[in-house]
Amino acid sequence: MLSLEQAIEHYNVLYPSTAHEPLALEHALGRVLAQDVASTLDLPPMRQSAMDGYAVHAADLTDASKTHPIALPLHQAVAAGQQPQTLPAGHCARIFTGAPLPPGADSVEIQENVQAQADGVRFSQPLTPGRNVRQQGEEVRAGHILLHAGQRLNAAQLSIAAGAGHARINCLGQPRIAIIVSGSELVAPATPRGPAQIFESNGTFLRHFALQNGAQISSVRLCPDDPEQLEADIATALSKADMLLISGGASVGDHDHSRSATQACGIEERFWKVAQKPGKPLSFGLGPQGQAVFILPGNPASVYACAMVHVRYALARMCGTPPPSSLHLRLGEAIRADSRRTRLLRGHVQANSEGQLVLTALPHQASHMTSNLASANAIARIPAGADLAAGSVVECWLSDPL
């Protein structure tokens, strides 16, 4: 039986697709950059006014004071998006935030500090050159790398690409995920249910978990405990998937067929069983074309724990993104450890009264219980061995990155 670390090492055989896909920005949210994105222009692309006010030659106001204000005739008005004329010495220009600075002008006085009168605009203090002026390229020069390959794109990063002049960017292809949920006792939600049947939920979780982690779904199928049907479904799923997730049938009961069915379909099992609780019977293998294949225990909490750690590590490799990062947080209460296996504890992370992040273990930790997932936002790793006192520091994987 492998340790958690040994199991995770096996996912290093997985790599992202080398295919690049040019995407319009409106379709790139959540996708992973295949190539660095550089600015196509200086930012700002021109000298701009940082305030509403008046553009001037600073040298014209050297002797300005409250007792001896200097009046300058108004030469022009410039709004954002307008091309200004050259500003002659001894004149000023009405200017608005974001507008290009007229050639010749070198500073801007804010409108609150001047008096506009019939004979011109009166200035009552000197200005230093560059006052209230955004210089061309002061933030970014053309060619500067703004976004790096391997970043998963969010709204802010897409806005950066747009502001740098890009309408399309190259993204990595998304891994295709096929999902098979096995079990004759399972029925789809809102369908007629026999007295010995339960509503299936693992397919819903795995579908949305894969989507949240950058994959696309090729198929989701509910399969009874029929070895021939399962083999057929696995073969079909592998034909159009880069990763196959099978829920159920991972153990050695009379109705657990998933391992034998995958092996019959040419899948090479790399490991079976991990020293963790829940999720011990986890299996991982590689399909005939290198597809990643997980057999997850059927209990919903086991599926959640295995997905949060193992599937997420594997998907990060296949998406070309960094592995899921963990935090080390203090426990809000004492926790019992398992004598032989790492506990993967569902918990809720929140700030305490001192503003420190603390993990609180949730009730109903049995592998068939899922009601606590409504509050769970982390998986805590509790090492095998000694029990942990409140305040002990443990490693946690958050459901979503901070």
Side-chain angles (χ1 to χ4, degrees), residues 46-91:
M46 67 208 77
R47 292 191 309 157
Q48 296 174 318
S49 176
M51 305 290 286
D52 291 343
Y54 293 85
V56 298
H57 296 261
D60 290 337
L61 302 179
T62 302
D63 298 325
S65 67
K66 291 183 178 180
T67 55
H68 295 91
I70 293 177
L72 300 177
L74 185 65
H75 178 261
Q76 60 182 300
V78 189
Q82 293 181 337
Q83 182 63 37
Q85 304 170 23
T86 299
L87 183 68
H91 292 72

mmCIF file of all heavy atoms in Angstrom, residues 46-91:
data_model
loop_
_atom_site.group_PDB
_atom_site.id
_atom_site.type_symbol
_atom_site.label_atom_id
_atom_site.label_comp_id
_atom_site.label_asym_id
_atom_site.label_seq_id
_atom_site.Cartn_x
_atom_site.Cartn_y
_atom_site.Cartn_z
ATOM 1 N N MET A 46 0.958 57.111 -24.570
ATOM 2 C CA MET A 46 1.294 58.509 -24.834
ATOM 3 C C MET A 46 1.385 59.230 -23.492
ATOM 4 O O MET A 46 0.959 58.690 -22.473
ATOM 5 C CB MET A 46 0.208 59.168 -25.688
ATOM 6 C CG MET A 46 -1.110 59.302 -24.936
ATOM 7 S SD MET A 46 -2.569 59.313 -25.957
ATOM 8 C CE MET A 46 -2.713 57.558 -26.328
ATOM 9 N N ARG A 47 1.922 60.449 -23.508
ATOM 10 C CA ARG A 47 1.840 61.270 -22.297
ATOM 11 C C ARG A 47 0.384 61.679 -22.097
ATOM 12 O O ARG A 47 -0.262 62.165 -23.014
ATOM 13 C CB ARG A 47 2.721 62.504 -22.417
ATOM 14 C CG ARG A 47 4.210 62.217 -22.437
ATOM 15 C CD ARG A 47 5.001 63.499 -22.276
ATOM 16 N NE ARG A 47 4.552 64.530 -23.232
ATOM 17 C CZ ARG A 47 4.716 65.842 -23.068
ATOM 18 N NH1 ARG A 47 5.289 66.300 -21.974
ATOM 19 N NH2 ARG A 47 4.308 66.689 -23.981
ATOM 20 N N GLN A 48 -0.112 61.484 -20.870
ATOM 21 C CA GLN A 48 -1.514 61.756 -20.582
ATOM 22 C C GLN A 48 -1.633 62.612 -19.330
ATOM 23 O O GLN A 48 -0.786 62.558 -18.433
ATOM 24 C CB GLN A 48 -2.287 60.457 -20.329
ATOM 25 C CG GLN A 48 -2.381 59.511 -21.497
ATOM 26 C CD GLN A 48 -3.040 58.207 -21.083
ATOM 27 O OE1 GLN A 48 -2.745 57.684 -20.005
ATOM 28 N NE2 GLN A 48 -3.909 57.678 -21.925
ATOM 29 N N SER A 49 -2.729 63.344 -19.254
ATOM 30 C CA SER A 49 -3.043 64.057 -18.024
ATOM 31 C C SER A 49 -3.594 63.070 -17.003
ATOM 32 O O SER A 49 -4.440 62.231 -17.327
ATOM 33 C CB SER A 49 -4.065 65.156 -18.281
ATOM 34 O OG SER A 49 -4.416 65.779 -17.059
ATOM 35 N N ALA A 50 -3.126 63.169 -15.766
ATOM 36 C CA ALA A 50 -3.627 62.319 -14.691
ATOM 37 C C ALA A 50 -4.807 62.944 -13.972
ATOM 38 O O ALA A 50 -5.414 62.293 -13.113
ATOM 39 C CB ALA A 50 -2.504 62.035 -13.687
ATOM 40 N N MET A 51 -5.143 64.208 -14.319
ATOM 41 C CA MET A 51 -6.201 64.932 -13.603
ATOM 42 C C MET A 51 -6.972 65.809 -14.581
ATOM 43 O O MET A 51 -6.506 66.111 -15.684
ATOM 44 C CB MET A 51 -5.597 65.811 -12.506
ATOM 45 C CG MET A 51 -4.693 65.091 -11.504
ATOM 46 S SD MET A 51 -5.576 63.984 -10.413
ATOM 47 C CE MET A 51 -6.368 65.181 -9.321
ATOM 48 N N ASP A 52 -8.148 66.242 -14.147
ATOM 49 C CA ASP A 52 -8.835 67.333 -14.855
ATOM 50 C C ASP A 52 -8.170 68.646 -14.446
ATOM 51 O O ASP A 52 -7.987 68.918 -13.247
ATOM 52 C CB ASP A 52 -10.313 67.387 -14.461
ATOM 53 C CG ASP A 52 -11.111 66.197 -14.975
ATOM 54 O OD1 ASP A 52 -10.618 65.493 -15.887
ATOM 55 O OD2 ASP A 52 -12.221 65.967 -14.463
ATOM 56 N N GLY A 53 -7.787 69.451 -15.430
ATOM 57 C CA GLY A 53 -7.125 70.707 -15.092
ATOM 58 C C GLY A 53 -6.649 71.453 -16.319
ATOM 59 O O GLY A 53 -7.354 71.499 -17.343
ATOM 60 N N TYR A 54 -5.408 71.975 -16.247
ATOM 61 C CA TYR A 54 -4.868 72.816 -17.315
ATOM 62 C C TYR A 54 -3.416 72.415 -17.572
ATOM 63 O O TYR A 54 -2.599 72.343 -16.644
ATOM 64 C CB TYR A 54 -4.957 74.295 -16.937
ATOM 65 C CG TYR A 54 -6.392 74.764 -16.863
ATOM 66 C CD1 TYR A 54 -7.137 74.583 -15.693
ATOM 67 C CD2 TYR A 54 -7.002 75.348 -17.967
ATOM 68 C CE1 TYR A 54 -8.460 74.985 -15.629
ATOM 69 C CE2 TYR A 54 -8.336 75.755 -17.898
ATOM 70 C CZ TYR A 54 -9.059 75.563 -16.743
ATOM 71 O OH TYR A 54 -10.374 75.950 -16.682
ATOM 72 N N ALA A 55 -3.131 72.134 -18.849
ATOM 73 C CA ALA A 55 -1.769 71.802 -19.258
ATOM 74 C C ALA A 55 -1.001 73.083 -19.532
ATOM 75 O O ALA A 55 -1.535 74.021 -20.149
ATOM 76 C CB ALA A 55 -1.801 70.922 -20.504
ATOM 77 N N VAL A 56 0.250 73.111 -19.075
ATOM 78 C CA VAL A 56 1.050 74.333 -19.196
ATOM 79 C C VAL A 56 2.509 73.972 -19.458
ATOM 80 O O VAL A 56 2.907 72.811 -19.366
ATOM 81 C CB VAL A 56 0.972 75.175 -17.901
ATOM 82 C CG1 VAL A 56 -0.452 75.614 -17.624
ATOM 83 C CG2 VAL A 56 1.537 74.395 -16.713
ATOM 84 N N HIS A 57 3.282 75.017 -19.801
ATOM 85 C CA HIS A 57 4.735 74.947 -19.723
ATOM 86 C C HIS A 57 5.117 75.347 -18.301
ATOM 87 O O HIS A 57 4.816 76.480 -17.881
ATOM 88 C CB HIS A 57 5.388 75.915 -20.720
ATOM 89 C CG HIS A 57 5.111 75.603 -22.150
ATOM 90 N ND1 HIS A 57 5.996 74.938 -22.954
ATOM 91 C CD2 HIS A 57 4.017 75.877 -22.919
ATOM 92 C CE1 HIS A 57 5.484 74.828 -24.172
ATOM 93 N NE2 HIS A 57 4.279 75.390 -24.173
ATOM 94 N N ALA A 58 5.756 74.479 -17.553
ATOM 95 C CA ALA A 58 6.093 74.805 -16.155
ATOM 96 C C ALA A 58 6.934 76.069 -16.069
ATOM 97 O O ALA A 58 6.822 76.846 -15.103
ATOM 98 C CB ALA A 58 6.815 73.619 -15.517
ATOM 99 N N ALA A 59 7.774 76.308 -17.085
ATOM 100 C CA ALA A 59 8.646 77.492 -17.045
ATOM 101 C C ALA A 59 7.843 78.792 -17.050
ATOM 102 O O ALA A 59 8.335 79.834 -16.582
ATOM 103 C CB ALA A 59 9.604 77.462 -18.237
ATOM 104 N N ASP A 60 6.593 78.752 -17.542
ATOM 105 C CA ASP A 60 5.780 79.971 -17.569
ATOM 106 C C ASP A 60 5.256 80.357 -16.191
ATOM 107 O O ASP A 60 4.758 81.492 -16.005
ATOM 108 C CB ASP A 60 4.573 79.786 -18.509
ATOM 109 C CG ASP A 60 4.975 79.712 -19.969
ATOM 110 O OD1 ASP A 60 6.055 80.221 -20.313
ATOM 111 O OD2 ASP A 60 4.195 79.132 -20.763
ATOM 112 N N LEU A 61 5.338 79.447 -15.226
ATOM 113 C CA LEU A 61 4.749 79.703 -13.908
ATOM 114 C C LEU A 61 5.799 79.774 -12.800
ATOM 115 O O LEU A 61 5.468 79.676 -11.618
ATOM 116 C CB LEU A 61 3.724 78.615 -13.574
ATOM 117 C CG LEU A 61 2.570 78.463 -14.565
ATOM 118 C CD1 LEU A 61 1.640 77.325 -14.132
ATOM 119 C CD2 LEU A 61 1.788 79.762 -14.692
ATOM 120 N N THR A 62 7.041 79.960 -13.169
ATOM 121 C CA THR A 62 8.119 79.981 -12.176
ATOM 122 C C THR A 62 7.862 81.018 -11.084
ATOM 123 O O THR A 62 8.132 80.776 -9.891
ATOM 124 C CB THR A 62 9.469 80.263 -12.859
ATOM 125 O OG1 THR A 62 9.716 79.270 -13.837
ATOM 126 C CG2 THR A 62 10.599 80.269 -11.836
ATOM 127 N N ASP A 63 7.317 82.174 -11.433
ATOM 128 C CA ASP A 63 7.140 83.261 -10.468
ATOM 129 C C ASP A 63 5.706 83.373 -9.950
ATOM 130 O O ASP A 63 5.360 84.372 -9.280
ATOM 131 C CB ASP A 63 7.555 84.597 -11.110
ATOM 132 C CG ASP A 63 9.022 84.611 -11.505
ATOM 133 O OD1 ASP A 63 9.822 84.002 -10.760
ATOM 134 O OD2 ASP A 63 9.354 85.189 -12.547
ATOM 135 N N ALA A 64 4.860 82.388 -10.230
ATOM 136 C CA ALA A 64 3.465 82.474 -9.797
ATOM 137 C C ALA A 64 3.363 82.318 -8.288
ATOM 138 O O ALA A 64 4.077 81.522 -7.665
ATOM 139 C CB ALA A 64 2.635 81.399 -10.488
ATOM 140 N N SER A 65 2.453 83.090 -7.675
ATOM 141 C CA SER A 65 2.210 82.998 -6.237
ATOM 142 C C SER A 65 0.787 83.446 -5.966
ATOM 143 O O SER A 65 0.103 83.986 -6.846
ATOM 144 C CB SER A 65 3.193 83.863 -5.446
ATOM 145 O OG SER A 65 2.953 85.239 -5.724
ATOM 146 N N LYS A 66 0.335 83.245 -4.717
ATOM 147 C CA LYS A 66 -1.019 83.670 -4.372
ATOM 148 C C LYS A 66 -1.181 85.190 -4.439
ATOM 149 O O LYS A 66 -2.245 85.706 -4.777
ATOM 150 C CB LYS A 66 -1.381 83.153 -2.987
ATOM 151 C CG LYS A 66 -1.547 81.640 -2.924
ATOM 152 C CD LYS A 66 -1.970 81.191 -1.534
ATOM 153 C CE LYS A 66 -2.178 79.671 -1.507
ATOM 154 N NZ LYS A 66 -2.591 79.190 -0.166
ATOM 155 N N THR A 67 -0.105 85.886 -4.103
ATOM 156 C CA THR A 67 -0.189 87.360 -4.138
ATOM 157 C C THR A 67 0.049 87.910 -5.534
ATOM 158 O O THR A 67 -0.394 89.023 -5.844
ATOM 159 C CB THR A 67 0.831 87.955 -3.161
ATOM 160 O OG1 THR A 67 2.141 87.461 -3.468
ATOM 161 C CG2 THR A 67 0.472 87.597 -1.722
ATOM 162 N N HIS A 68 0.751 87.158 -6.383
ATOM 163 C CA HIS A 68 1.018 87.603 -7.751
ATOM 164 C C HIS A 68 0.725 86.451 -8.722
ATOM 165 O O HIS A 68 1.643 85.844 -9.289
ATOM 166 C CB HIS A 68 2.473 88.072 -7.914
ATOM 167 C CG HIS A 68 2.800 89.279 -7.113
ATOM 168 N ND1 HIS A 68 3.305 89.208 -5.825
ATOM 169 C CD2 HIS A 68 2.663 90.619 -7.394
ATOM 170 C CE1 HIS A 68 3.484 90.419 -5.352
ATOM 171 N NE2 HIS A 68 3.093 91.308 -6.287
ATOM 172 N N PRO A 69 -0.566 86.156 -8.912
ATOM 173 C CA PRO A 69 -0.906 85.071 -9.837
ATOM 174 C C PRO A 69 -0.550 85.440 -11.270
ATOM 175 O O PRO A 69 -0.502 86.627 -11.631
ATOM 176 C CB PRO A 69 -2.408 84.893 -9.655
ATOM 177 C CG PRO A 69 -2.889 86.209 -9.151
ATOM 178 C CD PRO A 69 -1.768 86.762 -8.314
ATOM 179 N N ILE A 70 -0.317 84.432 -12.070
ATOM 180 C CA ILE A 70 0.004 84.622 -13.497
ATOM 181 C C ILE A 70 -1.180 84.134 -14.320
ATOM 182 O O ILE A 70 -1.664 83.021 -14.135
ATOM 183 C CB ILE A 70 1.288 83.857 -13.874
ATOM 184 C CG1 ILE A 70 2.495 84.466 -13.162
ATOM 185 C CG2 ILE A 70 1.484 83.845 -15.386
ATOM 186 C CD1 ILE A 70 3.800 83.738 -13.410
ATOM 187 N N ALA A 71 -1.643 84.999 -15.232
ATOM 188 C CA ALA A 71 -2.758 84.648 -16.108
ATOM 189 C C ALA A 71 -2.221 84.211 -17.464
ATOM 190 O O ALA A 71 -1.381 84.895 -18.068
ATOM 191 C CB ALA A 71 -3.710 85.830 -16.270
ATOM 192 N N LEU A 72 -2.697 83.042 -17.940
ATOM 193 C CA LEU A 72 -2.308 82.524 -19.247
ATOM 194 C C LEU A 72 -3.553 82.395 -20.119
ATOM 195 O O LEU A 72 -4.591 81.894 -19.664
ATOM 196 C CB LEU A 72 -1.646 81.151 -19.123
ATOM 197 C CG LEU A 72 -0.366 81.057 -18.290
ATOM 198 C CD1 LEU A 72 0.117 79.605 -18.212
ATOM 199 C CD2 LEU A 72 0.712 81.939 -18.883
ATOM 200 N N PRO A 73 -3.478 82.840 -21.347
ATOM 201 C CA PRO A 73 -4.637 82.706 -22.237
ATOM 202 C C PRO A 73 -4.895 81.236 -22.573
ATOM 203 O O PRO A 73 -3.971 80.433 -22.683
ATOM 204 C CB PRO A 73 -4.238 83.507 -23.476
ATOM 205 C CG PRO A 73 -2.745 83.547 -23.446
ATOM 206 C CD PRO A 73 -2.341 83.537 -21.999
ATOM 207 N N LEU A 74 -6.171 80.904 -22.731
ATOM 208 C CA LEU A 74 -6.567 79.529 -23.051
ATOM 209 C C LEU A 74 -6.398 79.292 -24.542
ATOM 210 O O LEU A 74 -6.967 80.027 -25.366
ATOM 211 C CB LEU A 74 -8.013 79.301 -22.627
ATOM 212 C CG LEU A 74 -8.545 77.871 -22.778
ATOM 213 C CD1 LEU A 74 -7.811 76.918 -21.844
ATOM 214 C CD2 LEU A 74 -10.047 77.834 -22.497
ATOM 215 N N HIS A 75 -5.627 78.278 -24.894
ATOM 216 C CA HIS A 75 -5.300 78.017 -26.297
ATOM 217 C C HIS A 75 -6.212 76.967 -26.927
ATOM 218 O O HIS A 75 -6.594 77.062 -28.085
ATOM 219 C CB HIS A 75 -3.837 77.571 -26.403
ATOM 220 C CG HIS A 75 -3.403 77.235 -27.806
ATOM 221 N ND1 HIS A 75 -3.341 75.934 -28.296
ATOM 222 C CD2 HIS A 75 -3.028 78.052 -28.829
ATOM 223 C CE1 HIS A 75 -2.931 75.963 -29.545
ATOM 224 N NE2 HIS A 75 -2.727 77.235 -29.902
ATOM 225 N N GLN A 76 -6.592 75.930 -26.135
ATOM 226 C CA GLN A 76 -7.370 74.811 -26.672
ATOM 227 C C GLN A 76 -7.935 74.010 -25.507
ATOM 228 O O GLN A 76 -7.561 74.199 -24.348
ATOM 229 C CB GLN A 76 -6.505 73.897 -27.557
ATOM 230 C CG GLN A 76 -5.316 73.302 -26.790
ATOM 231 C CD GLN A 76 -4.418 72.439 -27.658
ATOM 232 O OE1 GLN A 76 -4.872 71.442 -28.211
ATOM 233 N NE2 GLN A 76 -3.140 72.845 -27.764
ATOM 234 N N ALA A 77 -8.843 73.117 -25.825
ATOM 235 C CA ALA A 77 -9.365 72.156 -24.845
ATOM 236 C C ALA A 77 -9.172 70.758 -25.411
ATOM 237 O O ALA A 77 -9.404 70.524 -26.607
ATOM 238 C CB ALA A 77 -10.838 72.421 -24.549
ATOM 239 N N VAL A 78 -8.718 69.828 -24.547
ATOM 240 C CA VAL A 78 -8.393 68.475 -25.000
ATOM 241 C C VAL A 78 -9.090 67.459 -24.098
ATOM 242 O O VAL A 78 -8.869 67.438 -22.882
ATOM 243 C CB VAL A 78 -6.871 68.204 -24.968
ATOM 244 C CG1 VAL A 78 -6.566 66.868 -25.656
ATOM 245 C CG2 VAL A 78 -6.100 69.336 -25.610
ATOM 246 N N ALA A 79 -9.944 66.645 -24.687
ATOM 247 C CA ALA A 79 -10.588 65.551 -23.955
ATOM 248 C C ALA A 79 -9.911 64.236 -24.314
ATOM 249 O O ALA A 79 -9.163 64.148 -25.306
ATOM 250 C CB ALA A 79 -12.078 65.495 -24.291
ATOM 251 N N ALA A 80 -10.167 63.193 -23.519
ATOM 252 C CA ALA A 80 -9.612 61.873 -23.810
ATOM 253 C C ALA A 80 -10.054 61.432 -25.196
ATOM 254 O O ALA A 80 -11.225 61.568 -25.570
ATOM 255 C CB ALA A 80 -10.076 60.867 -22.753
ATOM 256 N N GLY A 81 -9.114 60.922 -25.961
ATOM 257 C CA GLY A 81 -9.410 60.465 -27.312
ATOM 258 C C GLY A 81 -9.198 61.504 -28.384
ATOM 259 O O GLY A 81 -9.251 61.174 -29.574
ATOM 260 N N GLN A 82 -8.949 62.765 -28.003
ATOM 261 C CA GLN A 82 -8.716 63.830 -28.980
ATOM 262 C C GLN A 82 -7.223 64.052 -29.200
ATOM 263 O O GLN A 82 -6.424 63.898 -28.270
ATOM 264 C CB GLN A 82 -9.358 65.135 -28.511
ATOM 265 C CG GLN A 82 -10.873 65.102 -28.477
ATOM 266 C CD GLN A 82 -11.460 66.428 -28.042
ATOM 267 O OE1 GLN A 82 -10.807 67.233 -27.372
ATOM 268 N NE2 GLN A 82 -12.717 66.662 -28.420
ATOM 269 N N GLN A 83 -6.853 64.409 -30.420
ATOM 270 C CA GLN A 83 -5.460 64.704 -30.736
ATOM 271 C C GLN A 83 -5.205 66.194 -30.510
ATOM 272 O O GLN A 83 -5.823 67.032 -31.159
ATOM 273 C CB GLN A 83 -5.164 64.342 -32.191
ATOM 274 C CG GLN A 83 -3.712 64.558 -32.613
ATOM 275 C CD GLN A 83 -2.744 63.672 -31.839
ATOM 276 O OE1 GLN A 83 -3.051 62.526 -31.535
ATOM 277 N NE2 GLN A 83 -1.577 64.207 -31.514
ATOM 278 N N PRO A 84 -4.313 66.582 -29.596
ATOM 279 C CA PRO A 84 -4.106 68.009 -29.291
ATOM 280 C C PRO A 84 -3.190 68.694 -30.297
ATOM 281 O O PRO A 84 -2.439 68.053 -31.041
ATOM 282 C CB PRO A 84 -3.459 67.957 -27.905
ATOM 283 C CG PRO A 84 -2.687 66.676 -27.915
ATOM 284 C CD PRO A 84 -3.509 65.705 -28.724
ATOM 285 N N GLN A 85 -3.257 70.019 -30.301
ATOM 286 C CA GLN A 85 -2.319 70.846 -31.056
ATOM 287 C C GLN A 85 -1.118 71.178 -30.170
ATOM 288 O O GLN A 85 -1.184 71.070 -28.944
ATOM 289 C CB GLN A 85 -2.999 72.138 -31.508
ATOM 290 C CG GLN A 85 -4.255 71.934 -32.331
ATOM 291 C CD GLN A 85 -5.002 73.238 -32.536
ATOM 292 O OE1 GLN A 85 -4.419 74.334 -32.448
ATOM 293 N NE2 GLN A 85 -6.299 73.149 -32.809
ATOM 294 N N THR A 86 -0.036 71.592 -30.808
ATOM 295 C CA THR A 86 1.125 72.039 -30.046
ATOM 296 C C THR A 86 0.751 73.260 -29.210
ATOM 297 O O THR A 86 0.072 74.182 -29.699
ATOM 298 C CB THR A 86 2.291 72.382 -30.983
ATOM 299 O OG1 THR A 86 2.657 71.208 -31.711
ATOM 300 C CG2 THR A 86 3.492 72.899 -30.199
ATOM 301 N N LEU A 87 1.159 73.252 -27.942
ATOM 302 C CA LEU A 87 0.835 74.358 -27.038
ATOM 303 C C LEU A 87 1.956 75.391 -27.071
ATOM 304 O O LEU A 87 3.098 75.104 -26.683
ATOM 305 C CB LEU A 87 0.656 73.836 -25.614
ATOM 306 C CG LEU A 87 0.255 74.878 -24.571
ATOM 307 C CD1 LEU A 87 -1.172 75.368 -24.841
ATOM 308 C CD2 LEU A 87 0.360 74.310 -23.157
ATOM 309 N N PRO A 88 1.663 76.623 -27.526
ATOM 310 C CA PRO A 88 2.715 77.649 -27.539
ATOM 311 C C PRO A 88 3.096 78.055 -26.116
ATOM 312 O O PRO A 88 2.290 77.977 -25.183
ATOM 313 C CB PRO A 88 2.046 78.815 -28.282
ATOM 314 C CG PRO A 88 0.827 78.255 -28.936
ATOM 315 C CD PRO A 88 0.401 77.105 -28.069
ATOM 316 N N ALA A 89 4.305 78.508 -25.953
ATOM 317 C CA ALA A 89 4.730 79.047 -24.668
ATOM 318 C C ALA A 89 3.850 80.239 -24.307
ATOM 319 O O ALA A 89 3.386 80.989 -25.167
ATOM 320 C CB ALA A 89 6.197 79.471 -24.731
ATOM 321 N N GLY A 90 3.588 80.387 -23.000
ATOM 322 C CA GLY A 90 2.769 81.486 -22.537
ATOM 323 C C GLY A 90 1.289 81.234 -22.661
ATOM 324 O O GLY A 90 0.493 82.168 -22.491
ATOM 325 N N HIS A 91 0.879 80.004 -22.951
ATOM 326 C CA HIS A 91 -0.530 79.642 -23.070
ATOM 327 C C HIS A 91 -0.812 78.407 -22.221
ATOM 328 O O HIS A 91 0.099 77.714 -21.766
ATOM 329 C CB HIS A 91 -0.905 79.352 -24.527
ATOM 330 C CG HIS A 91 -0.874 80.545 -25.416
ATOM 331 N ND1 HIS A 91 0.307 81.140 -25.823
ATOM 332 C CD2 HIS A 91 -1.874 81.283 -25.974
ATOM 333 C CE1 HIS A 91 0.038 82.176 -26.608
ATOM 334 N NE2 HIS A 91 -1.297 82.274 -26.712
#
